[in-house]
Amino acid sequence: MSQPFITVFAVYDNMTHLDFTGPHQVLCRLPGAQTMIASRDGGDILAEGNLVIGRTSKLSDIEQCDLLCVPGGLTATQVALDEEFVGEVRRLGQGATYVTSVCTGSLILGAAGLLQGKRAACHWAWRELLTEFGAVIDESRVVRDGNTFTGGGVTAGIDFALTMVAEIAGEAFAKALTLGYEYAPAPPFPGGRPELAEAETLSAYNAHMSKLMDARRAEVHEAGERMRAQAGVA
C-alpha cells in the first residue's frame, strides 16, 4: 500500500477561518490524503467569529508532512512572534515537499525563514510587510516559487488549493473538483482587489486598517530581526 499524502494545517487562535476551511475542503479530497489540523498546544482553537476548531493535534507531535499550510488572520503578526509555533512551522516546512500559506499566513512562513529570496503572495493590505523577511512581493492571486505556493487574501485560498490539487493529482482531477464544488465566482460587488474597488471604498478600508498597521509593522520588524538572527543573516 502506498504511503498517505500528509497535509498539515498549522492553526492558531483568532485566525481567519476561511483561510483554513476553504483550502481544507479542497485538499482533503486529494487521493490518499491524510489531512491533519495542528496547533501549538493541541486541543481546541477559537478562530475569528468564535468558531471553534476542535481536537487539533499538537504540532510538536507531528514528525513530518508532505504539505504544510499556514492560514492567515489579523493576529498573524503576533503569531509570528510565538517562537514555539514558528519553530514548529520551520521544522515541518524544512522537511515538507510543499510549503504553503494563505493570506497573511505568508508572514508566518517568512518569520520561520522559509521565504528568503522567494516570490510570495499575501493579502494586498499586508504584502509590503513580506520584505522584512527577505521575500519578494508578488501581487498575483496564487504564487509559486519552487516548492513554495502562497495565496493572496482569504478567498484566494480556494484558488491556491485547486492549484495544489492540479500539481499533486493532475489537472483533470482539479477540474472535476472545481465542477463538483460549483466553483464559479460571481461576486455581487466586484471590488475585491484595490485596483477594482471604488475610490471611497478603498479610502474607507485603508483608514480602518491604518489603526492597526503601526503595531503590526512593529511586530513584523521584531519577527524579522529574530528570523535574521536565527539564520545568521545580517
Side-chain angles (χ1 to χ4, degrees), residues 18-32:
L18 187 58
D19 287 3
F20 155 65
T21 54
H24 180 276
Q25 181 63 63
V26 175
L27 293 173
C28 72
R29 295 290 184 89
L30 279 168

Side-chain angles (χ1 to χ4, degrees), residues 112-135:
L114 299 173
L115 293 183
Q116 294 181 68
K118 290 182 176 287
R119 292 181 298 106
C122 189
H123 186 287
W124 65 265
W126 304 76
R127 59 191 174 209
E128 67 176 87
L129 303 178
L130 284 168
T131 58
E132 187 70 47
F133 304 113

Side-chain angles (χ1 to χ4, degrees), residues 51-202:
L51 179 68
V52 176
I53 310 296
R55 298 187 298 177
T56 71
S57 300
K58 193 173 181 178
L59 279 166
S60 60
D61 289 340
I62 298 174
E63 183 176 344
Q64 62 84 35
C65 63
D66 297 291
L67 189 154
L68 173 68
C69 185
V70 182
L74 288 176
T75 57
T77 56
Q78 297 170 29
V79 175
L81 293 173
D82 183 332
E83 294 185 358
E84 184 175 350
F85 186 93
V86 169
E88 293 300 335
V89 167
R90 181 185 304 115
R91 177 183 65 82
L92 288 170
Q94 288 174 340
T97 304
Y98 300 105
V99 176
T100 76
S101 65
V102 179
C103 197
T104 51
S106 57
L107 299 176
I108 298 173
L109 292 185
L114 299 173
L115 293 183
Q116 294 181 68
K118 290 182 176 287
R119 292 181 298 106
C122 189
H123 186 287
W124 65 265
W126 304 76
R127 59 191 174 209
E128 67 176 87
L129 303 178
L130 284 168
T131 58
E132 187 70 47
F133 304 113
V136 179
I137 296 170
D138 192 314
E139 297 181 4
S140 303
R141 193 162 167 84
V142 180
V143 176
R144 177 180 188 171
D145 192 328
N147 74 329
T148 303
F149 289 72
T150 50
V154 192
T155 60
I158 297 176
D159 294 27
F160 143 76
L162 289 167
T163 300
M164 292 306 314
V165 168
E167 166 74 15
I168 297 162
E171 187 174 301
F173 190 81
K175 287 179 177 178
L177 275 185
T178 301
L179 177 60
Y181 288 141
E182 197 177 348
Y183 185 53
F189 306 106
R193 290 178 65 93
E195 63 270 21
L196 301 175
E198 296 173 346
E200 57 269 30
T201 302
L202 181 59

Side-chain angles (χ1 to χ4, degrees), residues 202-224:
L202 181 59
S203 178
Y205 186 87
N206 283 335
H208 170 72
M209 292 300 293
S210 68
K211 301 171 185 177
L212 305 172
M213 288 306 290
D214 286 347
R216 298 298 180 253
R217 288 191 185 97
E219 289 161 353
V220 165
H221 181 67
E222 182 178 348

